[in-house]
Amino acid sequence: MTSTSLIGGHVSVAGGLATGGLAFMADIGAEMMQVFVTNPRSWALTAGKPDEDAKLAESGVESYIHLPYLVNFGSPSPETLANSVTLTRYTLQRAVETGAKGVVVHTGSAVTQPRDAAMAQLHEHLLPLLEEIPDGGPDLLLEPMAGQGAMLCATVQDLEPYLAALDWHPRAGVCFDTCHAFAAGHDLAAEGGVTETLDALHKIAPGRLKLVHANDSKDVCGSKKDRHEKIGQGHIGQAAFGELFRHHTLAGVPVCIETPGKPPEYRVDIQTLKDLRDAG
């Protein structure tokens, strides 16, 4: 694995997972990509196309799949829980077929039930899916949220009980979203704030950071609002992203933007991050 962080973005796959996705990736200057392989706001299991899957797998491009937003392993709804299991199992298999390195899942919410009951569901329903991942298959990347409502995991410290509920399974990795962490109360904009946060992450879950979502924030630190902004144009600020690349835990970890806008704006954000990375 290279020690340099690849920088890319979440890409459109209109025209085909590989045909459309790789073209979009090239257009925005990305070095890696994240995709949806199903409708992000639906439980539907969208069938893959073997030729597109093979083309992506053979491209050598580092790719990640983001699960739909509906998935919630902490839900008190039996239907939501069952659908979450089915869709996550399906998406992990799609990752095997396409050569994706990881599948990103939001860490979920207890909604209206006690937190302990929701955490028990992780052990009962999500842990078995980790056990099913084949050798050489993708990691499942846990993405802490912004802290709104009854979220099960928002701060870096929340990862400790979450991973414990999954028996610290070796296929459970972490996707660190800068906007979410800032909204949850980690002051990444303060001098040394990124270093302090990533030091804490490394202490709790050494070696588990597998992907970073680089997003500035439209809202202030601790807002518990998940509203992404273009790099350097929000309350986190450009300097924090430079500090991010200088942290030892970022060695070889890809960085993916999910910022608002269209391809011309994605190109600017990606180039900004490349400049910060290459400045050392």
Side-chain angles (χ1 to χ4, degrees):
M1 177 186 287
T2 176
S3 62
T4 301
S5 294
L6 298 175
I7 297 171
H10 190 106
V11 307
S12 167
V13 294
L17 188 59
T19 303
L22 294 174
F24 194 101
M25 178 183 156
D27 183 46
I28 62 175
E31 301 166 336
M32 56 74 63
M33 69 180 189
Q34 176 180 278
V35 297
F36 290 119
V37 295
T38 58
N39 185 327
R41 302 187 188 281
S42 167
W43 294 115
L45 306 181
T46 307
K49 297 180 178 179
D51 57 334
E52 289 288 323
D53 293 352
K55 184 177 178 180
L56 182 56
E58 294 163 6
S59 70
V61 167
E62 191 160 319
S63 65
Y64 295 81
I65 299 173
H66 200 303
L67 270 161
Y69 304 123
L70 298 176
V71 170
N72 181 12
F73 284 90
S75 175
S77 162
E79 183 180 11
T80 296
L81 187 56
N83 284 335
S84 295
V85 170
T86 298
L87 189 50
T88 301
R89 177 179 283 122
Y90 177 78
T91 305
L92 286 165
Q93 180 57 38
R94 295 290 292 119
V96 171
E97 294 163 357
T98 60
K101 288 193 68 175
V103 171
V104 178
V105 60
H106 287 173
T107 44
S109 167
V111 192
T112 57
Q113 71 172 332
R115 182 182 182 86
D116 288 351
M119 296 297 281
Q121 288 178 187
L122 298 177
H123 189 271
E124 183 177 354
H125 298 281
L126 185 54
L127 179 57
L129 298 179
L130 290 165
E131 292 284 359
E132 291 174 11
I133 297 173
D135 291 343
D139 289 320
L140 185 66
L141 308 184
L142 311 170
E143 182 178 4
M145 303 306 292
Q148 66 274 37
M151 291 296 168
L152 298 178
C153 185
T155 66
V156 164
Q157 288 74 21
D158 290 338
L159 280 165
E160 189 163 10
Y162 201 99
L163 285 163
L166 299 174
D167 292 349
W168 297 91
H169 196 282
R171 303 316 293 265
V174 174
C175 173
F176 178 77
D177 186 304
T178 54
C179 179
H180 294 177
F182 190 67
H186 293 292
D187 193 356
L188 306 182
E191 186 175 354
V194 170
T195 300
E196 179 182 340
T197 303
L198 292 179
D199 282 350
L201 173 57
H202 182 67
K203 184 176 180 180
I204 290 167
R208 291 185 187 265
L209 179 61
K210 304 292 186 181
L211 179 65
V212 170
H213 285 167
N215 302 300
D216 213 321
S217 174
K218 291 183 184 293
D219 298 287
V220 297
C221 181
S223 68
K224 301 191 184 326
K225 293 180 180 178
D226 179 17
R227 298 201 306 154
H228 298 183
E229 182 56 284
K230 300 176 189 68
I231 303 299
Q233 295 188 31
H235 288 275
I236 297 176
Q238 187 168 305
F241 294 94
E243 187 180 344
L244 180 81
F245 286 112
R246 293 190 294 273
H247 198 273
H248 68 92
T249 58
L250 261 286
V253 174
V255 174
C256 177
I257 63 164
E258 298 175 319
T259 50
K262 295 183 178 179
E265 294 157 300
Y266 303 154
R267 281 196 289 272
V268 171
D269 278 343
I270 287 174
Q271 188 58 53
T272 297
L273 291 175
K274 286 180 179 178
D275 291 344
L276 291 169
R277 174 194 66 189
D278 298 343

